[in-house]
Amino acid sequence: MDTTSLKQLLDACFTAKHIVETLPQLPKGMKPRHIHVLDSVSRVCTEQGECRVSDVSTRLNITMPSITKLVQELENLGLLEKYADREDKRVILLALTKEGKAHVKKHVEDFQRTWTERLGHVSDKQARDAIWVIEQLSDTMPGK
């Protein structure tokens, strides 16, 4: 890759950041990070039957203290519940409330379904190629 292509790629990354920053308005008190956590809890519960705070931390590649803070915020918003594992009371599990599930449906499932339809001309291979390039940028960033 030459420097001109790298410049265009970095410009596209700034555009992508802008796209993420201008996603549809969330309800008062909610942040885009909250939606990511709710979506992760939903997915982990579907895949594994239960979700630990550490599962969300691993899935989102975010530190435990940061996830713990986000979980607390979501609990305060009434979107997430914490409860102790029946077999090991030291293990804290997470579950979406009815309202939390409604937010996942609206802000993840319905939104992504609509956007997927609009991106019908983009192939899965093209999407995977874009993901791979972005991961390469992250992995090779100078100073990292």
Side-chain angles (χ1 to χ4, degrees):
M1 173 184 315
D2 62 24
T3 56
T4 301
S5 293
L6 177 62
K7 169 88 172 91
Q8 291 172 334
L9 185 57
L10 292 174
D11 288 346
C13 287
F14 284 113
T15 300
K17 182 178 185 289
H18 176 72
I19 290 167
V20 170
E21 290 171 345
T22 57
L23 289 173
Q25 187 77 22
L26 295 171
K28 185 174 181 169
M30 286 190 69
K31 306 170 191 169
R33 292 176 288 179
H34 291 149
I35 296 297
H36 290 291
V37 173
L38 293 174
D39 182 38
S40 293
V41 171
S42 177
R43 289 175 189 248
V44 171
C45 285
T46 298
E47 294 166 5
Q48 301 176 13
E50 62 185 23
C51 179
R52 295 171 175 80
V53 175
S54 60
D55 294 329
V56 179
S57 174
T58 300
R59 187 178 200 102
L60 295 177
N61 195 28
I62 299 175
T63 65
M64 281 295 288
S66 294
I67 287 297
T68 300
K69 180 180 180 210
L70 289 167
V71 164
Q72 182 65 47
E73 291 171 0
L74 288 165
E75 191 176 29
N76 291 341
L77 290 168
L79 304 175
L80 198 61
E81 296 174 332
K82 294 188 297 192
Y83 63 97
D85 186 344
R86 291 180 190 163
E87 295 176 17
D88 185 348
K89 300 294 183 197
R90 298 170 297 172
V91 175
I92 301 300
L93 300 174
L94 305 172
L96 298 177
T97 64
K98 184 178 178 180
E99 190 176 349
K101 290 176 183 177
H103 281 292
V104 170
K105 182 179 182 326
K106 178 179 180 181
H107 298 288
V108 178
E109 295 167 6
D110 294 347
F111 180 77
Q112 288 179 0
R113 183 175 22 266
T114 299
W115 211 351
T116 299
E117 290 167 3
R118 292 179 183 181
L119 287 169
H121 61 284
V122 176
S123 71
D124 289 340
K125 182 186 180 317
Q126 289 171 315
R128 285 191 304 274
D129 288 347
I131 293 164
W132 183 83
V133 171
I134 291 167
E135 288 171 347
Q136 294 305 302
L137 282 172
S138 178
D139 292 345
T140 61
M141 183 179 290
K144 185 174 179 187

